[in-house]
Amino acid sequence: MLQIDDMRTEDLEQVSRLEASCFSMPWSKKSFEEVMGKSDAVYVTAREEEKVVGYCGAYVILDEADINQVAVEPSCRNKGIGRKMMEVLLQKLKRAGANAVTLEVRRSNEAAIALYESLGFVTEGIRKNFYEKPAEDGLIMWKR
Ligand SMILES: CC(C)(COP(=O)(O)OP(=O)(O)OC[C@H]1O[C@@H](n2cnc3c(N)ncnc32)[C@H](O)[C@@H]1OP(=O)(O)O)[C@@H](O)C(=O)NCCC(=O)NCCS
């Protein structure tokens, strides 16, 4: 059964492995440990039994939140986990006082862009060569 709730220290080994398998410039386990210790960070994990199948998280700054991590285990994609996880995160961000939420996404990342648009995010800007490995423009999306 799918469970989505706050990220736990015990999740971090699996979270950092999934992160390394999804991104060319992954956060280390230490980066996740550091971020989880911050009071303005909101991170959630999706688990099936004890297996981590996804995670996402954001920082809240005053009444705005910046989502910086979203990933679902490759073999578990297209089953609605990303959407459910993001819905839980957005609820938590609202409760933490965020009236507006932003994120950046690679211009070619059709799956993520479609997910964000379906959740109400709108592209408000483009950051030239925001990404490395490979270099690519980033779309700046907001949900207000
Ligand atoms: C982006 C990602 C998190 C989506 O997770 P997911 O669990 O597969 O997404 P869901 O099954 O909840 O799909 C939700 C919506 O996203 C969109 N979507 C998901 N996969 C898609 C694909 N391959 N192509 C187009 N749209 C897609 C659809 O709009 C879908 O809604 P629908 O099912 O009503 O059509 C996942 O593909 C992933 O981890 N990608 C690699 C890491 C990454 O790129 N993270 C984002 C960095 S900004």
Side-chain angles (χ1 to χ4, degrees), residues 79-134:
K79 293 181 184 169
I81 294 174
R83 180 191 302 282
K84 284 190 199 129
M85 210 171 63
M86 286 288 288
E87 284 169 352
V88 170
L89 178 65
L90 290 170
Q91 276 169 14
K92 285 179 181 282
L93 294 176
K94 198 163 199 181
R95 257 182 264 138
N99 296 321
V101 184
T102 188
L103 54 80
E104 293 95 20
V105 57
R106 283 184 183 267
R107 198 172 200 163
S108 65
N109 195 342
E110 288 176 16
I113 294 167
L115 167 62
Y116 303 147
E117 284 177 342
S118 76
L119 289 165
F121 284 83
V122 173
T123 301
E124 292 196 5
I126 295 172
R127 234 168 241 163
K128 267 278 176 227
N129 287 323
F130 180 70
Y131 291 99
E132 297 171 43
K133 293 188 179 178

Side-chain angles (χ1 to χ4, degrees), residues 2 6 9 24 30-31 37 46-47 50 55 63 69-70 83 88 107-108 116 120 124-125 130-131:
L2 184 70
D6 291 334
T9 314
S24 61
K30 192 157 175 278
S31 310
R47 290 179 222 95
E50 282 311 301
Y55 59 89
D63 61 348
Q69 306 287 329
V70 181
R83 180 191 302 282
V88 170
R107 198 172 200 163
S108 65
Y116 303 147
E124 292 196 5
F130 180 70
Y131 291 99

Side-chain angles (χ1 to χ4, degrees), residues 3-17:
Q3 263 196 320
I4 300 169
D5 51 33
D6 291 334
M7 193 177 276
R8 307 172 190 154
T9 314
E10 310 88 271
D11 295 332
L12 294 187
E13 193 64 51
Q14 294 186 68
V15 165
S16 50
R17 249 186 279 138

